[in-house]
Amino acid sequence: SAMGCKNCCSICLQCLFGYETNVMLVINNKGVGALFRLIQFLIIAYVAVYVCWIQRAYQDTDSVISSVSTKVKGNILTNTSIEGVHVWDVPEYVIPPQGEKSFFVLTNVIPTPGQTQSKCPEVRSNTSICFCESDSDCIEGQTEVHGNGVQTGHCVQYSDTIKTCEVQAWCPLENDTIIPKPALLGAAEHFTVLIKNNIQYPKFNFRKRNLLHHINSTYLKNCTFDRKTDPHCPIFRLGHMVTEAGEDFSVMALKGGIIGIFIDWNCDLDFPERFCIPKYSFSRLDNKNPENNVAPGYNFRFAKYYKNNKSIETRTLIKAFGIRFDVIVFGMAGKFNIVPTIVNLGAALACLSLVTAICDWVMLTCMKDHDQYYFNTIFTILPEK
Amino acid sequence: SAMGCKNCCSICLQCLFGYETNVMLVINNKGVGALFRLIQFLIIAYVAVYVCWIQRAYQDTDSVISSVSTKVKGNILTNTSIEGVHVWDVPEYVIPPQGEKSFFVLTNVIPTPGQTQSKCPEVRSNTSICFCESDSDCIEGQTEVHGNGVQTGHCVQYSDTIKTCEVQAWCPLENDTIIPKPALLGAAEHFTVLIKNNIQYPKFNFRKRNLLHHINSTYLKNCTFDRKTDPHCPIFRLGHMVTEAGEDFSVMALKGGIIGIFIDWNCDLDFPERFCIPKYSFSRLDNKNPENNVAPGYNFRFAKYYKNNKSIETRTLIKAFGIRFDVIVFGMAGKFNIVPTIVNLGAALACLSLVTAICDWVMLTCMKDHDQYYFNTIFTILPEK
Amino acid sequence: SAMGCKNCCSICLQCLFGYETNVMLVINNKGVGALFRLIQFLIIAYVAVYVCWIQRAYQDTDSVISSVSTKVKGNILTNTSIEGVHVWDVPEYVIPPQGEKSFFVLTNVIPTPGQTQSKCPEVRSNTSICFCESDSDCIEGQTEVHGNGVQTGHCVQYSDTIKTCEVQAWCPLENDTIIPKPALLGAAEHFTVLIKNNIQYPKFNFRKRNLLHHINSTYLKNCTFDRKTDPHCPIFRLGHMVTEAGEDFSVMALKGGIIGIFIDWNCDLDFPERFCIPKYSFSRLDNKNPENNVAPGYNFRFAKYYKNNKSIETRTLIKAFGIRFDVIVFGMAGKFNIVPTIVNLGAALACLSLVTAICDWVMLTCMKDHDQYYFNTIFTILPEK
């Protein structure tokens, strides 16, 4: 009927435009009221100060993507009994030479020139004892983990008093028991390195590099990084970095080590781009404490290969001690985004609703005359059918 | 007037300390009550078990920053018709020698000694067919993608029956059609590698390394990693890693491949530091399935340069097959933080409020006598003005 | 007493199964109702469209872990007055040769053959002026940052008119004032590089590689990447990448530079695995703008070491200009997870509750007859005790 339809429409309209609100009860009890306002204030203060200001929880975040190139400068003159006067330049002491984000600077060297494939007595070292009395002590074809070659099965004179197993190897063998002290290239602490670092935050389409806008060519030619006077100069003295990492360069140069160059690009991109500047810090990454270290410091061996007049392959084996510098770029950028804002605001609001529950509980349990409140505010019991 | 002011103050005070609470209705209907409690229980259980216990959503997280150094040990003796007896040591078979987080161990070699800049017939290979009948088939200056040099425009005898285009190149050309089988350095599976890994979580100022506190020098000298007996030993046998990755070393050694050494530093920093220990796993990263692979396995070419007696530059080209080991460090650390806690608690609370809405709906639609509830609880319609 | 216990049990049961709901008030005011529905609609639309569809906030995320190997192909013939005809192949112009995720392709070269450790006059360069008139102008043992060696303290003839300080160094010194133009290996733009990239999302146990399933061997042999015709071919022409990065290869080849090859693996893992495909993009990472650049472009020096007939170490120093290609793999995968879903839903719900508060405020301040509403809906003042 028309009456029914009209009724139906009216209900629909009522549903659509009827505004529902909770029936509230305001209680003028100063104690509960003060508690209620205090807790409300605490939660709003937490949201304002901690979430928004300190944690910047209203921001969307992105991780840094980075590209690094490095260039070391410096020369050293050494004068040793074996090699005579020798000037070391960058292509000799920086390995690999390409200038990537991890570069190694030679500080100490044990060279073993003139090695060829042949047979010689195994060298006595601390880690592998290879003494023998007769050929029966040596096993042909055996290779020890810490040995230098493959045993031939013969026991030969190593020195006047000692016999060791003969090995097939690159002979003569390296003797690395005595490390040059002070370090041969200890003066490497005066070398400088230019670090070029380009970063981007792809989510925010943001790019920047550590050569800041206000740095010009003239400044770059003369500056070296100093936390106080030149905090934005991208040229670092090796010795300065090691000192900042809390180490002594001359000690570290002896056996090598790994230094981390940390570039922190944490940025708040709601601020102008010029406030996004890199912060540098340095620390030693390997363990200098040798208590549980099989190979303290940092070293590796490489060889230069030659052919002598008879076309036999000869090599100079170099045990290279030095400092590896790892440029580690990290950082998070934040920028205002509606999603985390809503999430954090909503969560805070939900917690505000907890306040009411707590106050109800306080009122119902701690206040006098609570029976009256009880019935007036909460329990309006309907008889069960 | 004084009266008005007093009134105004009273309203302000009332606003400031007036405690607002919702007027609640408690319905003693066992069905609805049970449903209400059940949903409440489910949500609280979800928060307690899943969010807090499994997902640790109350924690702030940080990504790992890591530094790796590696050191391979071992020697191999090979005896080939071309090179004779040769002992391979670390500086020869580990490329690059520095011991970074990605290192390559040579397992198979195709050497081409005595190359000089000159002219020679193009080598016939599977991928580039370069046959010719006369000079007109060869184009001077042309260079093919899969060729070995730049064509001179002449057609010359490659063998008694075959003619190919002459090329300007490092001659004689490499012939890589026959790969040594078994792999020349197949014994590399007995090599060991020491992996030193330092990590940090900068947000929590947490640092640790994979040489754990209880590992001493004596233990390190003799241990090798084993998932059951030595899960914390940082020395790995190459063969063991390849086996754990589900591969056969002797097969993989033929054409090379890439093995990932995964170090998982996922840590719950609410627990003491000693519970934060690395977990190692291994898997093959390249595709061994050659169906859609232009270059199955992993190989590259490098050369050793010499000058012969006449000061002409000569080189030994080496096609190096081998296994590249990529040490991949990953992990997230979590630590209690108030922001994610509030966010997750708040969200759960907001969902609890959904319960009321659901129960209202159930009550209003499914229960008998709903008309009475309807008017008593929800609708107190005010006449529109 | 039994009466008391019965009462107690009844209260407990009442607590346990008593269903609490807010007492709601529905106001049939069309203005407020419309506002109320509008805000509700906006919030629900925000959740549906922005949070769920665009930001995919219902998903848990994981960062990509990646492994890359690269292989360059191509040959170049050069004809210079110093070296004569020379064919450059991959082992010569790709440094390092291993094919890692960062590879350098030589495009221009300043060779300095025949260097030995000896003494020679310092070379005059733009950055370090080292003129002298007498020995007193030169300090023995001094090494300049931009110098090539260590001064001997003598002032010697550099040319007929100029005298410079003598240095101990690898002599003869390099003269890099004139850079070959056009670039010696400018034809490197025709080289191709095959990039093999394996990725995984450990949290979702998802692995994939950039050689997609539908790519077969035949296709790979002939394809090169093209954004329109071959967007999935993993073989890239160097010149094409540089052009896409907005640079001119022939200009860039002169002094070198760094090109980033970005592989974007952003994936929605709620969709089938075949929709997760890599997107390639290219951009220049170093600054081509030389205004505040000490070393524009990208170059480094390396040396090949020889021993001459008298067993004296000689080297060929090579100042290598070229393009470093950094393969940068990034991406986030998302997959449905209940925690972020609950968090975002809960937050949205909490915001919905704000709507009521806003409508209350609007009603109380803007509507006529607000006094009546005021007392009817909100304030039911209990007299203070």
Side-chain angles (χ1 to χ4, degrees):
Chain A
S1 66
M3 187 77 179
C5 184
K6 200 187 166 192
N7 199 19
C8 172
C9 278
S10 145
I11 286 173
C12 274
L13 224 85
Q14 192 172 282
C15 272
L16 210 63
F17 291 107
Y19 161 63
E20 293 166 23
T21 187
N22 290 342
V23 176
M24 304 290 277
L25 183 77
V26 177
I27 300 163
N28 278 330
N29 179 307
K30 285 218 179 80
V32 177
L35 179 70
F36 178 69
R37 292 293 169 206
L38 180 72
I39 299 178
Q40 266 190 338
F41 172 78
L42 285 178
I43 289 183
I44 289 167
Y46 149 78
V47 169
V49 175
Y50 191 75
V51 176
C52 291
W53 197 40
I54 298 175
Q55 293 269 340
R56 303 193 311 223
Y58 57 88
Q59 291 188 327
D60 194 13
T61 58
D62 194 13
S63 293
V64 74
I65 285 177
S66 136
S67 165
V68 171
S69 69
T70 56
K71 193 158 207 170
V72 180
K73 293 255 180 211
N75 297 293
I76 281 181
L77 184 142
T78 61
N79 196 344
T80 59
S81 54
I82 303 167
E83 293 209 68
V85 172
H86 190 104
V87 168
W88 299 77
D89 61 356
V90 176
E92 262 193 306
Y93 65 72
V94 174
I95 302 161
Q98 295 101 281
E100 306 216 6
K101 71 178 172 183
S102 181
F103 62 96
F104 170 86
V105 174
L106 204 67
T107 56
N108 214 355
V109 169
I110 298 176
T112 312
Q115 287 192 330
T116 54
Q117 286 282 336
S118 51
K119 292 170 185 175
C120 48
E122 177 68 286
V123 162
R124 174 197 183 190
S125 78
N126 299 327
T127 50
S128 77
I129 294 136
C130 193
F131 301 125
C132 62
E133 301 216 327
S134 68
D135 287 3
S136 60
D137 293 343
C138 300
I139 303 147
E140 194 184 337
Q142 191 179 336
T143 167
E144 282 183 27
V145 173
H146 297 278
N148 290 301
V150 178
Q151 293 185 13
T152 60
H154 300 290
C155 186
V156 294
Q157 292 290 337
Y158 170 69
S159 63
D160 290 348
T161 52
I162 297 168
K163 288 177 92 174
T164 60
C165 291
E166 192 188 51
V167 288
Q168 172 82 31
W170 286 95
C171 291
L173 295 178
E174 176 191 275
N175 187 342
D176 62 352
T177 47
I178 297 157
I179 295 170
K181 196 173 177 179
L184 192 67
L185 298 170
E189 66 178 311
H190 300 301
F191 292 168
T192 58
V193 59
L194 165 67
I195 297 176
K196 290 201 252 180
N197 177 213
N198 292 269
I199 59 120
Q200 55 183 297
Y201 289 106
K203 206 189 266 178
F204 306 128
N205 200 20
F206 180 88
R207 286 156 151 269
K208 194 152 186 180
R209 58 201 191 106
N210 69 335
L211 285 155
L212 303 177
H213 293 307
H214 66 269
I215 294 177
N216 59 27
S217 228
T218 324
Y219 175 67
L220 268 184
K221 237 170 239 168
N222 298 302
C223 75
T224 50
F225 176 81
D226 184 287
R227 201 164 291 287
K228 279 173 195 157
T229 60
D230 297 87
H232 303 317
C233 176
I235 297 171
F236 303 86
R237 217 173 58 90
L238 301 194
H240 182 75
M241 291 195 286
V242 171
T243 308
E244 281 235 348
E247 302 290 328
D248 184 335
F249 194 94
S250 60
V251 173
M252 201 169 170
L254 282 177
K255 292 197 165 188
I258 304 175
I259 293 283
I261 302 173
F262 295 89
I263 307 184
D264 179 355
W265 279 98
N266 273 312
C267 283
D268 185 342
L269 298 184
D270 292 328
F271 285 92
E273 178 259 1
R274 70 176 184 275
F275 290 107
C276 182
I277 50 174
K279 280 176 283 297
Y280 302 97
S281 60
F282 313 95
S283 71
R284 184 164 184 169
L285 295 181
D286 66 319
N287 196 34
K288 61 176 175 175
N289 192 353
E291 71 200 16
N292 59 355
N293 236 342
V294 276
Y298 185 74
N299 64 71
F300 61 88
R301 290 181 183 82
F302 68 96
K304 293 179 191 170
Y305 293 86
Y306 306 100
K307 279 204 172 155
N308 66 8
N309 293 341
K310 292 163 195 160
S311 265
I312 293 168
E313 196 172 30
T314 311
R315 74 176 192 186
T316 299
L317 180 68
I318 289 152
K319 181 166 185 180
F321 298 86
I323 302 174
R324 194 177 88 192
F325 292 89
D326 286 1
V327 181
I328 295 170
V329 180
F330 68 104
M332 295 288 273
K335 200 168 191 172
F336 173 78
N337 185 292
I338 194 73
V339 174
T341 309
I342 294 274
V343 166
N344 280 285
L345 260 186
L349 280 174
C351 290
L352 273 177
S353 76
L354 250 188
V355 179
T356 310
I358 292 169
C359 286
D360 279 353
W361 180 80
V362 166
M363 206 166 56
L364 290 175
T365 53
C366 309
M367 301 279 149
K368 55 187 175 176
D369 298 317
H370 63 78
D371 282 341
Q372 190 187 334
Y373 285 109
Y374 195 79
F375 284 102
N376 278 324
T377 63
I378 310 288
F379 273 50
T380 309
I381 299 161
L382 282 174
E384 196 165 349
K385 298 281 147 118
Chain B
S1 66
M3 186 78 181
C5 184
K6 200 184 163 188
N7 198 19
C8 172
C9 280
S10 145
I11 286 172
C12 275
L13 226 87
Q14 195 173 282
C15 272
L16 210 65
F17 290 107
Y19 161 64
E20 294 167 21
T21 188
N22 290 342
V23 176
M24 304 292 277
L25 184 76
V26 177
I27 300 163
N28 278 330
N29 179 305
K30 285 218 178 76
V32 178
L35 179 72
F36 178 69
R37 291 295 169 205
L38 178 72
I39 298 177
Q40 267 192 337
F41 172 79
L42 286 178
I43 289 184
I44 289 167
Y46 149 79
V47 169
V49 174
Y50 191 75
V51 176
C52 291
W53 197 40
I54 297 175
Q55 293 269 341
R56 304 194 310 225
Y58 57 88
Q59 291 188 329
D60 194 15
T61 57
D62 195 14
S63 292
V64 74
I65 285 176
S66 137
S67 165
V68 171
S69 70
T70 56
K71 194 158 205 169
V72 179
K73 292 253 181 213
N75 297 293
I76 281 181
L77 184 141
T78 60
N79 197 342
T80 58
S81 54
I82 303 167
E83 293 209 68
V85 171
H86 190 104
V87 169
W88 298 76
D89 59 358
V90 175
E92 262 194 302
Y93 65 72
V94 174
I95 301 163
Q98 297 101 279
E100 304 214 8
K101 71 178 172 183
S102 181
F103 61 96
F104 170 87
V105 174
L106 204 67
T107 56
N108 214 356
V109 170
I110 297 176
T112 313
Q115 287 191 329
T116 54
Q117 286 282 338
S118 49
K119 292 172 185 174
C120 47
E122 177 67 286
V123 163
R124 173 197 182 188
S125 77
N126 300 328
T127 49
S128 77
I129 295 136
C130 194
F131 301 125
C132 60
E133 300 217 326
S134 67
D135 287 2
S136 59
D137 293 342
C138 302
I139 303 146
E140 194 183 338
Q142 191 179 339
T143 167
E144 282 185 25
V145 173
H146 297 278
N148 291 300
V150 179
Q151 294 184 16
T152 59
H154 299 291
C155 187
V156 293
Q157 292 290 337
Y158 170 69
S159 64
D160 290 349
T161 51
I162 296 167
K163 287 177 95 172
T164 60
C165 291
E166 191 188 49
V167 287
Q168 172 82 28
W170 285 94
C171 293
L173 293 178
E174 177 190 275
N175 186 341
D176 62 352
T177 46
I178 297 156
I179 296 171
K181 195 171 176 179
L184 191 69
L185 297 170
E189 67 177 312
H190 301 299
F191 292 168
T192 59
V193 59
L194 165 67
I195 297 175
K196 290 201 253 180
N197 177 215
N198 293 268
I199 60 117
Q200 54 184 298
Y201 289 107
K203 206 189 264 178
F204 306 129
N205 202 18
F206 180 88
R207 285 157 152 270
K208 194 152 187 180
R209 60 203 189 105
N210 70 335
L211 285 156
L212 303 177
H213 293 307
H214 67 267
I215 294 177
N216 59 28
S217 225
T218 324
Y219 175 66
L220 267 185
K221 235 169 241 165
N222 298 303
C223 77
T224 50
F225 175 82
D226 184 288
R227 203 163 289 287
K228 280 173 193 157
T229 60
D230 296 86
H232 303 316
C233 176
I235 297 170
F236 304 85
R237 216 172 60 89
L238 301 194
H240 182 75
M241 290 194 288
V242 172
T243 307
E244 281 234 346
E247 302 290 328
D248 184 336
F249 194 94
S250 60
V251 173
M252 202 170 170
L254 283 178
K255 291 199 165 188
I258 305 176
I259 293 283
I261 303 173
F262 294 91
I263 308 185
D264 179 356
W265 279 99
N266 272 312
C267 283
D268 186 343
L269 298 184
D270 292 328
F271 286 92
E273 179 259 2
R274 70 174 184 280
F275 290 107
C276 181
I277 51 175
K279 281 177 282 295
Y280 302 97
S281 60
F282 313 96
S283 71
R284 183 163 185 171
L285 295 181
D286 66 318
N287 196 34
K288 61 175 174 176
N289 194 354
E291 71 200 18
N292 59 353
N293 236 342
V294 275
Y298 186 74
N299 65 69
F300 61 90
R301 290 181 182 84
F302 67 96
K304 294 179 190 171
Y305 293 85
Y306 307 100
K307 279 204 172 153
N308 68 8
N309 293 342
K310 293 163 197 159
S311 266
I312 292 169
E313 196 171 31
T314 311
R315 73 176 193 185
T316 300
L317 179 69
I318 290 152
K319 181 165 183 178
F321 297 88
I323 301 172
R324 194 178 89 191
F325 292 89
D326 285 0
V327 181
I328 295 170
V329 180
F330 68 104
M332 294 288 276
K335 201 167 193 173
F336 173 78
N337 185 293
I338 194 72
V339 174
T341 310
I342 294 273
V343 166
N344 280 283
L345 262 186
L349 279 174
C351 290
L352 273 177
S353 76
L354 251 188
V355 178
T356 310
I358 292 169
C359 286
D360 279 354
W361 180 79
V362 166
M363 205 167 55
L364 289 175
T365 53
C366 309
M367 301 281 150
K368 55 187 175 177
D369 299 318
H370 63 77
D371 282 340
Q372 190 185 334
Y373 286 110
Y374 195 78
F375 284 100
N376 279 326
T377 62
I378 309 288
F379 274 50
T380 310
I381 299 160
L382 282 175
E384 197 165 347
K385 298 283 147 116
Chain C
S1 67
M3 185 74 179
C5 182
K6 199 185 165 190
N7 198 18
C8 172
C9 278
S10 145
I11 286 172
C12 275
L13 224 85
Q14 193 174 282
C15 273
L16 210 63
F17 290 107
Y19 160 64
E20 293 166 23
T21 187
N22 290 342
V23 176
M24 305 290 277
L25 183 75
V26 177
I27 299 163
N28 278 330
N29 178 306
K30 285 217 177 79
V32 178
L35 180 72
F36 179 68
R37 292 293 167 206
L38 179 72
I39 299 177
Q40 265 190 339
F41 172 78
L42 285 178
I43 289 183
I44 289 166
Y46 151 78
V47 169
V49 175
Y50 191 75
V51 177
C52 291
W53 197 41
I54 297 175
Q55 294 270 339
R56 301 192 314 223
Y58 57 88
Q59 290 188 328
D60 195 13
T61 58
D62 195 13
S63 292
V64 73
I65 284 176
S66 136
S67 167
V68 171
S69 70
T70 56
K71 195 159 206 169
V72 179
K73 292 253 183 216
N75 297 293
I76 282 182
L77 183 140
T78 60
N79 197 343
T80 57
S81 55
I82 303 167
E83 294 209 68
V85 171
H86 190 104
V87 168
W88 299 77
D89 61 356
V90 176
E92 262 193 304
Y93 66 72
V94 175
I95 304 161
Q98 295 101 281
E100 306 217 5
K101 71 178 171 183
S102 180
F103 62 96
F104 171 87
V105 174
L106 204 67
T107 56
N108 214 354
V109 170
I110 298 176
T112 312
Q115 287 191 327
T116 54
Q117 286 281 336
S118 50
K119 291 171 186 172
C120 48
E122 176 69 284
V123 163
R124 174 197 182 187
S125 79
N126 300 327
T127 50
S128 78
I129 295 136
C130 194
F131 301 125
C132 60
E133 300 218 327
S134 69
D135 287 4
S136 59
D137 292 342
C138 302
I139 303 147
E140 194 183 339
Q142 190 179 337
T143 167
E144 281 183 28
V145 172
H146 296 279
N148 291 302
V150 179
Q151 294 184 14
T152 59
H154 299 292
C155 186
V156 293
Q157 292 290 338
Y158 170 69
S159 65
D160 290 347
T161 53
I162 297 168
K163 288 178 93 175
T164 60
C165 291
E166 190 189 52
V167 288
Q168 173 81 29
W170 285 95
C171 291
L173 295 179
E174 176 189 279
N175 187 340
D176 62 351
T177 46
I178 298 157
I179 296 170
K181 195 172 174 176
L184 193 68
L185 298 169
E189 66 178 313
H190 300 300
F191 293 169
T192 59
V193 59
L194 165 68
I195 297 175
K196 291 200 251 180
N197 177 216
N198 292 267
I199 60 118
Q200 55 183 298
Y201 289 107
K203 205 188 263 178
F204 307 128
N205 201 20
F206 179 87
R207 285 157 153 270
K208 193 150 187 183
R209 60 202 190 102
N210 69 336
L211 285 156
L212 303 177
H213 293 307
H214 66 268
I215 294 177
N216 60 28
S217 228
T218 324
Y219 175 66
L220 268 184
K221 236 170 242 166
N222 298 304
C223 77
T224 49
F225 175 83
D226 185 287
R227 202 164 291 286
K228 280 175 193 157
T229 59
D230 296 86
H232 304 316
C233 176
I235 297 171
F236 303 85
R237 216 173 60 89
L238 301 196
H240 182 75
M241 291 195 286
V242 172
T243 308
E244 281 234 347
E247 301 291 327
D248 184 336
F249 194 94
S250 60
V251 173
M252 201 170 171
L254 283 177
K255 292 197 165 189
I258 304 176
I259 294 283
I261 303 173
F262 294 90
I263 307 183
D264 178 355
W265 279 97
N266 273 313
C267 282
D268 184 343
L269 297 184
D270 292 328
F271 285 93
E273 179 258 3
R274 72 175 183 278
F275 290 107
C276 181
I277 49 174
K279 280 177 283 298
Y280 303 97
S281 59
F282 313 95
S283 71
R284 184 165 186 170
L285 296 181
D286 67 319
N287 196 33
K288 62 175 173 174
N289 193 355
E291 71 202 17
N292 60 352
N293 235 343
V294 276
Y298 185 73
N299 65 71
F300 60 89
R301 291 181 182 83
F302 69 96
K304 295 179 188 170
Y305 293 85
Y306 306 101
K307 278 201 174 155
N308 66 7
N309 293 342
K310 293 162 194 161
S311 266
I312 292 169
E313 196 171 31
T314 311
R315 74 176 192 186
T316 299
L317 179 68
I318 289 152
K319 180 164 183 179
F321 297 87
I323 302 174
R324 196 177 89 191
F325 292 89
D326 285 0
V327 182
I328 295 170
V329 180
F330 67 104
M332 294 289 274
K335 200 168 193 173
F336 174 79
N337 185 292
I338 194 72
V339 173
T341 309
I342 293 272
V343 165
N344 280 285
L345 262 187
L349 280 174
C351 290
L352 274 177
S353 75
L354 251 187
V355 178
T356 310
I358 291 168
C359 287
D360 279 353
W361 180 81
V362 165
M363 204 165 56
L364 290 175
T365 53
C366 309
M367 302 280 148
K368 54 187 174 176
D369 297 319
H370 62 77
D371 282 339
Q372 190 186 333
Y373 285 110
Y374 196 78
F375 284 101
N376 278 328
T377 60
I378 311 286
F379 274 50
T380 309
I381 300 158
L382 283 175
E384 196 167 346
K385 299 283 147 116

